[in-house]
Amino acid sequence: MDHKIVGKNTQRLDAVAKVTGRAMYTDDFFERDMLVGKVLRSPHAHARVTRIDASKAKALPGVVAVLTPADLPKIKFATAGHPWSLDPGHRDVEDRLILTDKARFVGDAIAAVVAEDLLTAEKALHLIEVEYEVLPHVLTAEDAMQEGAPLLHENRPGNIVSSFGVQFGDVEAEFQNAEVIFEGDYETSIVQHCHIESMSAYAFVDSDGRVVVNSSTQIPHIVRRIVAQALGLSWGRVKVIKPYIGGGFGNKQDVVVEPLTAAMSLAAGGRPVRYCMTREEVFIDTRTRHGMKLHLKTALSRDGKLQGIHMQVLSNTGAYASHGHSIAMSAGGKFRPLYDFRAIKYEPKTVYTNLPVAGAMRGYGTPQIFFALESHLDDIARKLELDPIELRRKNLIKLGHQDPLTKNVVRSFGIPECIEKGKELIHWEEKKQAHQGQTGHLRRGLGMACFAYASGTHPVALELAGARIVMNQDGSVTLQVGATEIGQGSDTVFAQITAETLGLPVDMVHVVTTQDTDITPFDSGAYASRQTFVTGIAVRKAALEVRQKVLEVAARRTGLAPAEMDLRDRMIVETSLGRTVCSLGDVAMDSFYDRLLAAPITSDTSANVRINAMSYGATFVEVEVDIQTGRVEVTELWNIHDSGTIINPKLAEGQVHGGVSMSLGAALLEQMLFDPVTGKPLNPNLLDYKLPTVLDTPKINAAFVETFDAAGTFGSKSLGECPTISPAPAVRNAVMDATGVAFHKIPLYPQVVFEKFREAGLLAERSVQHV
Amino acid sequence: MAERIDLNLKVNGADHSVSVHPFARLLDVLREDLRLTGTKEGCGEGECGACSVLLNGRVVNSCLVPAVQAQGAEVVTVEGLAEGENLSSLQAAFLVHNGAQCGFCTPGMLVSATDLIHRCPNPSDDEIRDGLAGNLCRCTGYAKILDAVHTAAEREAAR
């Protein structure tokens, strides 16, 4: 299809604001006489508060309020950023209080201070007297499930939050009849989002008595509901504003600071209170990515046809459920529309422990599942002496595949082309030849891994998106969406969809980027790679309605039927002749000022999207491994994606670069560390937590195989989370190719790698050579 | 200790006199007293570089600089990189290459890159990476930031 704007590198709408420092983030707004909030946190991993005395803190000059659990409603609420479920059986787990009198991890929030300045607030924290009854704690999922283990929450026996799995086919029969059975164990570590903007909010009560919360969030409409629920307010009394957001990656798909910040303002008589977390607090008391342990057992034929798989997953969700109950379940479904198994048994267990809370993070558990599966496939290929690429190709599902459980249909399937393209781009065969017979301490290897992902959450959850377009007098339009621009570029993509539909240049589409739940239409927010796909459908629907209304006004002017005209370059054109009949500006002025027929052209619509589209892709990577130091360097990397039609190639590449770098961080560097005895975090800062710097990041190459998916706007599918899935297992497989050593846990930190090489005798070989 | 300290400094070419708390950081003065909120705080510990500014021509983490140390100093923030509406070569290159995503590291990144290009007019890829090593970004994998800095450095060198 021939597009004027879709598929082009439209410059980000917010680019100028961002390079000049004018873009305003939550912390950049100052209210008159703004107060600051600080939080007192538990020093113990598990403890009951037996006495709390805030009188000295309250007496400190400059302190406006001190909050303890006794000062707040005892309403347990769920923090996960999902649409509310009318079915009580599908609700998120309500296990959290704004402040707790039972600490469940080191850093759990016990009390809070509101003061005139930060120094006073910090001083006041030290004056709050708390006595704890320290309880035994558990840090690993295995320990937490042991009989007699301390329980974190009363109503969860065995500390199990969720163990809901799926199965189809007869996996036991497949194992009985299999020519070959393989088993393997894999493990991923706890990592963190590390958005550069902290978790931050400020709140006040406005002159109408409404609670206004300005927050750095991916989910303003959900924040509104949860703040109201947590504080026992009517939902309409809360108003949430989202300005520019300095990165979220899933951490801000959760309600973290907003209920407390609102409570602080209410305690201070409605005065504005800011609560901006320190970086240490962001590490400790926001969310993390679940560390998972996976056991895979696979039945297959000797020539590599996969038949059945039994996947057992142990997911450590930390002290509160957050998204824990849904992540393991959701992530386990993503490989089904990729590889063709006759039988699958998927058994996840998500378990509470006394660690920081795990929640949503780019990929929503899928990176962990694919790390295990794609490592496992390479282990199988190696044992059976099969080509790892051929093994995957042989087992791909086919276009038109319908998932037996979700009923989602695969309407576009570019993974075979992605694999072919990746192989060519990295010169797989040539490099394989060149790597033959390496003996030195620097060894190169090649690895690849595939993935599949969804576009939004259908059919598991509601996928509702709102869009509103108002045509202005000059023929430009103002677009409001409830979806959330958090840096990924969604506002620009929505402007492109609107401009394409209305025959407008992009600079005549004014997108309201600030979300205000009083004003902008309802939408659940930025997550699940849903925005271009789900909200795009709503935007396209609104633009088509505006287009129709424009043509109706033009019909009045021209006497032509609406169907005989088209919108091109701000003009109304008689389609058959290509003749301009009037300008869009004329139509717009009529719509506002015609004495008889004036009615401004608007659309205020929503789309309840009950369809999904699978996205696919693969990573191809070459690494150089230093046997003597354990250092793994990525020397070449390609991420190839089938995300349907690419609406903005440059923005899409940006998503790939960032997603790949996050996966490489998890593969090679990043890991939150805890004292195994006390559960205290050991590296909650950006120095000791090894977020990749520009020196650690290799050149990342992005490529696309553009399919057309009939379900998506202009044929588009999801991309945002996709790049974060396959790089880690591809790197792991490349290290195995280079050295023959199979790693089963990430990150491949030099020390771990070095120790394993020594164990495997690689270093001994070298010392013999030296003798 | 004095309650407040009078601080005189020049920021983006304009003279300012402010009365600051003795513990105030240069970052606080810029953001809160002068309302130059383009400079961001990402960690407050000198690890992320979001608060990078030029202090007497050298790039510093303004979260680590006591405000009193900027007495009489000349400071340039992201707001001072453009001349009126004319963006600097670096800012223009960030637009073309899509160097900003969420945009939170962007001001610090631009300031560090400006410093780099001044110090090292024809930088190699390694030199650019070295110059930006103190600025963390989670969105871009640094790819398009590097492209933008290369482009801007080439344009500056061609002048």
Coordinates of all heavy atoms in Angstrom, one line a residue, chain A residues 5 57 61 177 195 219 308 333 356 390 566 604 656:
Chain A
I5 N 2.8 9.0 4.9 CA 3.4 9.4 6.2 C 3.7 8.1 7.0 O 4.8 8.0 7.7 CB 2.4 10.3 7.0 CG1 2.4 11.7 6.3 CG2 2.9 10.5 8.4 CD1 1.2 12.5 6.7
A57 N 9.2 13.2 66.6 CA 9.2 13.6 65.2 C 8.2 14.7 65.0 O 8.5 15.7 64.3 CB 9.0 12.5 64.3
P61 N 10.4 21.3 64.8 CA 10.0 22.4 64.0 C 10.2 22.1 62.5 O 11.2 21.6 62.1 CB 10.9 23.6 64.5 CG 11.4 23.2 65.8 CD 11.5 21.7 65.8
N177 N 6.6 -42.4 24.6 CA 6.8 -42.8 23.2 C 8.0 -42.1 22.6 O 8.4 -42.4 21.4 CB 5.6 -42.5 22.3 CG 4.4 -43.2 22.9 OD1 4.5 -44.3 23.5 ND2 3.2 -42.5 22.7
H195 N 15.1 3.0 35.0 CA 14.7 4.3 34.3 C 15.5 5.4 34.9 O 15.7 5.4 36.2 CB 13.2 4.5 34.4 CG 12.6 4.1 35.7 ND1 12.8 4.8 36.8 CD2 11.9 3.0 36.0 CE1 12.2 4.1 37.8 NE2 11.6 3.0 37.3
I219 N 0.4 4.5 33.7 CA -1.0 4.1 33.7 C -1.9 5.1 34.5 O -2.5 4.7 35.5 CB -1.1 2.7 34.4 CG1 -0.2 2.7 35.7 CG2 -0.6 1.6 33.4 CD1 -0.5 1.5 36.6
G308 N 6.8 -33.0 22.8 CA 6.1 -32.6 24.0 C 7.1 -31.9 24.9 O 8.3 -32.1 24.9
G333 N 2.9 -18.5 27.8 CA 2.1 -18.7 26.6 C 2.7 -18.2 25.4 O 2.2 -18.5 24.3
P356 N 12.7 -7.6 47.9 CA 11.9 -6.5 47.2 C 10.9 -7.1 46.2 O 11.1 -8.2 45.7 CB 13.0 -5.7 46.5 CG 14.2 -5.8 47.4 CD 14.1 -7.2 47.9
E390 N 18.5 -25.2 12.0 CA 17.6 -26.1 11.4 C 16.7 -26.7 12.4 O 15.5 -27.0 12.1 CB 18.5 -27.3 10.7 CG 19.2 -26.8 9.4 CD 18.3 -26.0 8.5 OE1 17.1 -26.4 8.2 OE2 18.7 -24.9 8.1
D566 N -12.1 12.7 -1.7 CA -11.0 12.2 -0.9 C -10.3 13.4 -0.3 O -10.4 14.5 -0.7 CB -10.0 11.4 -1.8 CG -9.0 10.5 -1.0 OD1 -9.2 10.4 0.3 OD2 -8.1 10.0 -1.6
D604 N -15.1 11.3 19.3 CA -14.7 10.9 20.7 C -15.1 9.5 20.8 O -16.3 9.1 20.9 CB -15.5 11.8 21.7 CG -15.0 11.5 23.1 OD1 -14.2 10.6 23.3 OD2 -15.4 12.2 24.0
V656 N 14.5 -1.1 19.3 CA 15.3 -2.3 19.2 C 16.6 -2.1 20.0 O 17.0 -2.9 20.8 CB 15.5 -2.7 17.8 CG1 16.5 -3.9 17.7 CG2 14.2 -3.1 17.1

